[in-house]
Amino acid sequence: MSSGENRSDFSIQADRDLKDYTSFYLDSPSRFVVDIPQVKVSKRYERIPVNRPELSSIRIVQREDKNKVRIVFDLTEGGRTECRVETKPLGLKVSCILSAERPQSQSLETPPDINANGKPVFGSIAVSYTH
C-alpha cells in the first residue's frame, strides 16, 4: 500500500493475469468490493486495519462455495470515497480516494481461463500491506 493525503493505493499480486473481476459498492455500512474468480488466497487474512480518512480497514475472504476471493474495502466519510481498479501484469491495483461524491460501480467480466481439459484455471493471490 502507498498513501498520500486522502488516497491509498493497494497492490494485489497474483501468479497469473487477473483479467476477470467484478467490483461494486455496498451501503450500510459503505464498502467497496472486488470479487476475483478462480483464485485462492496464499495466506489467511482477517481484518487489516488501515485507519485512513478514506478507508478504515480491508477484509479478504476465500469464498470456497463460489471459488473466488472477495476483498472488501471498508470505507469512511459517509460513502464519499471513490475506488478504482486497474489491471496490471500479474495482478490488480486498487486506488481509494476521498472525494465529493461516489461514482458508479465499474466492472470487467470475462470468462475464466480454461485449460486443455475444459476446466477453469485456478491461480493464487497475495495482498501486501505496509504502513
Side-chain angles (χ1 to χ4, degrees):
M1 179 185 101
S2 63
S3 59
E5 187 174 333
N6 299 332
R7 176 189 176 114
S8 296
D9 296 312
F10 301 89
S11 178
I12 299 167
Q13 300 165 338
D15 61 0
R16 65 179 173 94
D17 289 341
L18 299 176
K19 297 183 289 188
D20 50 329
Y21 66 87
T22 304
S23 63
F24 53 93
Y25 290 95
L26 294 173
D27 294 321
S28 298
S30 296
R31 293 156 287 165
F32 181 71
V33 177
V34 179
D35 282 339
I36 307 170
Q38 310 301 332
V39 296
K40 301 280 184 190
V41 177
S42 61
K43 73 176 221 181
R44 184 181 170 131
Y45 296 91
E46 292 186 14
R47 181 177 298 266
I48 302 169
V50 178
N51 300 320
R52 303 263 312 139
E54 65 280 0
L55 193 63
S56 62
S57 63
I58 301 170
R59 292 174 283 138
I60 302 164
V61 180
Q62 180 73 56
R63 301 286 307 261
E64 298 294 340
D65 61 324
K66 299 189 180 189
N67 294 321
K68 70 179 171 186
V69 169
R70 173 165 283 181
I71 304 173
V72 179
F73 296 84
D74 295 313
L75 308 178
T76 58
E77 296 295 325
R80 289 183 28 223
T81 299
E82 173 185 345
C83 294
R84 295 184 183 152
V85 182
E86 299 173 43
T87 58
K88 63 178 195 166
L90 300 178
L92 300 172
K93 176 183 175 183
V94 179
S95 299
C96 295
I97 306 161
L98 193 61
S99 64
E101 58 186 61
R102 192 168 70 190
Q104 295 292 321
S105 292
Q106 66 178 35
S107 67
L108 173 66
E109 297 180 23
T110 59
D113 293 335
I114 304 295
N115 68 15
N117 298 325
K119 295 188 178 185
V121 175
F122 282 84
S124 65
I125 67 168
V127 178
S128 57
Y129 171 75
T130 57
H131 294 287

